[in-house]
Amino acid sequence: MTKIIDGNELSKQIKSEIKERINVLKDKGLIPGLGVVLVGDDPASHVYVRMKEKDCEEVGIYTETKRLPKDTPQQEIIDIVDSFNSDEKFHGILVQHPLPGHMDEVEVFDRILPAKDVDGFHPFNVGKLLIGDNTFVACTPYGVMEMLTRSGYSPEGKHAVIVGRSTIVGKPLAALLVQKDKHANATVTICHSRTKDLGEITRTADILIAAIGSPRFIKADMVRDGAVVIDVGVNRIDDPSRKSGYRLVGDVDYEAVLDKVEAITPVPGGVGPMTRTMLLNNTTLSAENSLK
Ligand SMILES: NC(=O)c1ccc[n+]([C@@H]2O[C@H](COP(=O)([O-])OP(=O)(O)OC[C@H]3O[C@@H](n4cnc5c(N)ncnc54)[C@H](OP(=O)(O)O)[C@@H]3O)[C@@H](O)[C@H]2O)c1
């Protein structure tokens, strides 16, 4: 029987742990706070930010969101980030990606103080992650690691193959999996669009992670029998039977691989909720750090 790794269920567990940590902070007079910047009118970004606000409310994190029109000058965004940086109410800062095209996203993200960089995108934190220091870990890779360990699929000694080398998913996930740590210690291969004979490589994976952005790209013949499959992809495909006219699918051909794998994450309900939960974790961690 294939195990379905349920991201909603795991998130529920982690959120209850976070609530307990927040209660401890509240007893000490501290409420974790998250400052959010949302620029433009991208519908998906608005949905994501609303979900993140709701998550924060659920666990007891204070949030304040600055919603700005897409033609806002970059300097104005930087000024807001600076004001969040210097305001003790905010332990974490989130600038929703993507920013409108006229902005230099790297410049804006790098303005966030590393101590409040709960998305884990600042080069300082990325560097610390690589050398294995305690730091804020980008939420999606962190969520994937939690899914593996909490479901009993330790990566130790396993061959983990990641398809996708983005700076927000593939690369930091490789850095985590390869760490000398009992929850990591994997042998890691990263694949990308220039990889030759992709299927030859993915078929050697004990743990296969797809972060491509291409609907149902990973077919059954690319997956080894008994592998553990983590599907990071979120893709909209047309579905006239739905009121919305679309539905979400992952980067893995879920139905086709389901019977041959040991475990798999669904889309939706897999990595997505875990990503959101790790943002709550990082914001709480930042508030805890502020007391040290
Ligand atoms: N669930 C979540 O919380 C969450 C969070 C983040 C992202 N996502 C989803 O995860 C997916 C990936 O996101 P991303 O931001 O990492 O995407 P991205 O920046 O576009 O990176 C995609 C990666 O896939 C590789 N790739 C593309 N086509 C390929 C092919 N034919 N063969 C092998 N590799 C190929 C690219 O290779 P090159 O580097 O050579 O171009 C690139 O490294 C998207 O569906 C996104 O929506 C989900």
Side-chain angles (χ1 to χ4, degrees), residues 56-125:
C56 285
E57 196 185 334
E58 185 187 336
V59 297
I61 293 175
Y62 168 77
T63 50
E64 206 171 294
T65 302
K66 305 277 187 204
R67 290 180 163 80
L68 299 145
K70 66 168 180 287
D71 55 359
T72 306
Q74 177 167 321
Q75 189 54 45
E76 211 175 299
I77 310 301
I78 286 180
D79 290 345
I80 292 170
V81 169
D82 283 347
S83 71
F84 283 154
N85 276 337
S86 56
D87 190 336
E88 285 185 2
K89 263 200 319 287
F90 299 108
H91 305 92
I93 301 170
L94 173 102
V95 177
Q96 182 63 42
H97 162 85
L99 287 173
H102 67 281
M103 288 188 192
D104 181 343
E105 212 170 65
V106 173
E107 199 180 319
V108 175
F109 287 165
D110 287 2
R111 193 77 176 200
I112 298 170
L113 281 179
K116 296 192 177 190
D117 169 40
V118 288
D119 252 342
F121 293 160
H122 193 286
F124 181 80
N125 288 325

Side-chain angles (χ1 to χ4, degrees), residues 10-82:
L10 287 171
S11 287
K12 223 191 273 174
Q13 281 172 27
I14 300 171
K15 276 185 195 167
S16 89
E17 295 163 15
I18 291 171
K19 275 185 205 166
E20 281 175 31
R21 287 163 55 197
I22 291 176
N23 284 338
V24 172
L25 289 171
K26 283 184 177 165
D27 286 345
K28 294 178 181 165
L30 188 70
I31 295 174
L34 178 69
V36 181
V37 185
L38 172 60
V39 191
D41 41 24
D42 174 42
S45 293
H46 279 259
V47 171
Y48 287 140
V49 166
R50 269 199 302 279
M51 291 197 295
K52 287 169 187 173
E53 289 168 329
K54 211 169 130 262
D55 290 338
C56 285
E57 196 185 334
E58 185 187 336
V59 297
I61 293 175
Y62 168 77
T63 50
E64 206 171 294
T65 302
K66 305 277 187 204
R67 290 180 163 80
L68 299 145
K70 66 168 180 287
D71 55 359
T72 306
Q74 177 167 321
Q75 189 54 45
E76 211 175 299
I77 310 301
I78 286 180
D79 290 345
I80 292 170
V81 169
D82 283 347

Side-chain angles (χ1 to χ4, degrees), residues 94-238:
L94 173 102
V95 177
Q96 182 63 42
H97 162 85
L99 287 173
H102 67 281
M103 288 188 192
D104 181 343
E105 212 170 65
V106 173
E107 199 180 319
V108 175
F109 287 165
D110 287 2
R111 193 77 176 200
I112 298 170
L113 281 179
K116 296 192 177 190
D117 169 40
V118 288
D119 252 342
F121 293 160
H122 193 286
F124 181 80
N125 288 325
V126 174
K128 284 183 74 153
L129 175 73
L130 196 61
I131 59 176
D133 260 7
N134 271 340
T135 188
F136 293 120
V137 177
C139 300
T140 302
Y142 195 178
V144 170
M145 295 301 288
E146 287 292 308
M147 288 184 110
L148 288 170
T149 48
R150 286 178 184 252
S151 307
Y153 298 111
S154 166
E156 186 157 35
K158 299 284 175 4
H159 183 205
V161 175
I162 306 169
V163 189
R165 59 175 164 184
S166 71
T167 40
I168 62 166
V169 187
K171 282 184 197 164
L173 185 53
L176 285 169
L177 283 162
V178 83
Q179 287 306 321
K180 198 166 188 172
D181 182 289
K182 67 177 189 315
H183 297 302
N185 282 332
T187 303
V188 181
T189 302
I190 310 184
C191 304
H192 46 77
S193 66
R194 306 295 171 92
T195 298
K196 293 213 166 71
D197 303 321
L198 182 64
E200 296 263 307
I201 299 169
T202 56
R203 274 189 294 276
T204 65
D206 302 308
I207 298 172
L208 177 60
I209 298 148
I212 308 160
S214 181
R216 299 178 179 139
F217 181 89
I218 301 289
K219 305 292 180 201
D221 64 359
M222 298 170 80
V223 181
R224 191 177 67 73
D225 285 356
V228 172
V229 176
I230 307 288
D231 191 351
V232 179
V234 180
N235 310 285
R236 280 185 181 195
I237 59 161
D238 291 341

